[in-house]
Amino acid sequence: MLTAAMAAIGGVAALGSAIYGGIKSAKANNKARDLVQQQRRDNKAWYNVRMAQDYTQRADVQAAIKRQRELLNEQYQRARATNVVAGGTDEALALQQQAANKSLSDTMTDVAAQGAAYKDNVEQQYRAQDAALNQQQAQSYQQQAAQAAQAASQGVNAGMGLMGNALGSNLNKTKA
């Protein structure tokens, strides 16, 4: 009788332990899922900011354009001074100005191409991070499923142990 009671207590403890483990596991998985969701929101916010950003307004791009304009302006001023001293024509100055405008236009075309490449890079980074987060979430779901199966198995085993002990106890009583 004492053995049956000890076995029943052990079975109840095993069942309680399985339930407690399942609850703790579920809470941990919920925290992990919440963390992944927060990372996903942060990644999306980062992506939205970068994609909405006007690449030409970045400080490094503005500095490059400013330097280009200053160089072209200096070249034009030298050509103008040379034109005055050497007696050049207005047509030569116009050609110099036209060349400067073309150079600036080429610079802006390059900046636009760099901007497109930058946005492509942002999209690639976003997609890579999103894929990593999806993988993390899938692993979390797989782990949660395995833990749920383990908890259910432990619960069934504990329940079967309790039933076996109860049946064994009843058999011992009927034999006596």
Side-chain angles (χ1 to χ4, degrees):
M1 179 92 159
L2 184 60
T3 307
M6 296 290 281
I9 291 171
V12 169
L15 183 60
S17 177
I19 291 170
Y20 178 76
I23 291 170
K24 288 300 258 181
S25 173
K27 285 182 179 181
N29 285 326
N30 285 341
K31 284 182 181 180
R33 187 178 58 244
D34 291 346
L35 181 61
V36 169
Q37 290 302 323
Q38 182 59 46
Q39 289 173 331
R40 193 180 303 282
R41 284 188 297 273
D42 292 348
N43 190 40
K44 184 66 174 172
W46 174 86
Y47 172 79
N48 288 338
V49 166
R50 296 302 182 277
M51 291 304 277
Q53 179 182 35
D54 182 0
Y55 184 78
T56 62
Q57 296 306 308
R58 289 175 37 140
D60 58 337
V61 173
Q62 285 296 310
I65 292 170
K66 182 180 177 187
R67 279 192 308 273
Q68 178 70 12
R69 283 186 176 145
E70 288 171 353
L71 287 172
L72 294 173
N73 192 32
E74 286 175 18
Q75 286 176 351
Y76 179 73
Q77 293 302 326
R78 275 191 299 245
R80 218 168 126 196
T82 302
N83 191 33
V84 169
V85 172
T89 65
D90 288 338
E91 292 168 353
L93 268 180
L95 287 173
Q96 175 64 33
Q97 185 64 40
Q98 186 178 5
N101 288 341
K102 171 132 178 44
S103 178
L104 188 58
S105 174
D106 291 346
T107 298
M108 293 307 291
T109 300
D110 289 345
V111 165
Q114 290 171 3
Y118 171 80
K119 296 231 175 176
D120 288 345
N121 187 34
V122 165
E123 185 166 354
Q124 288 173 356
Q125 288 179 40
Y126 170 75
R127 288 181 183 272
Q129 181 66 15
D130 196 48
L133 291 171
N134 284 336
Q135 183 64 29
Q136 241 182 327
Q137 195 165 21
Q139 287 174 344
S140 175
Y141 288 147
Q142 289 170 347
Q143 184 180 19
Q144 190 173 5
Q147 289 169 346
Q150 183 182 9
S153 174
Q154 289 173 348
V156 167
N157 289 340
M160 295 300 279
L162 285 173
M163 286 178 57
N165 290 334
L167 287 175
S169 172
N170 285 337
L171 285 176
N172 288 335
K173 285 182 188 177
T174 56
K175 287 182 182 178

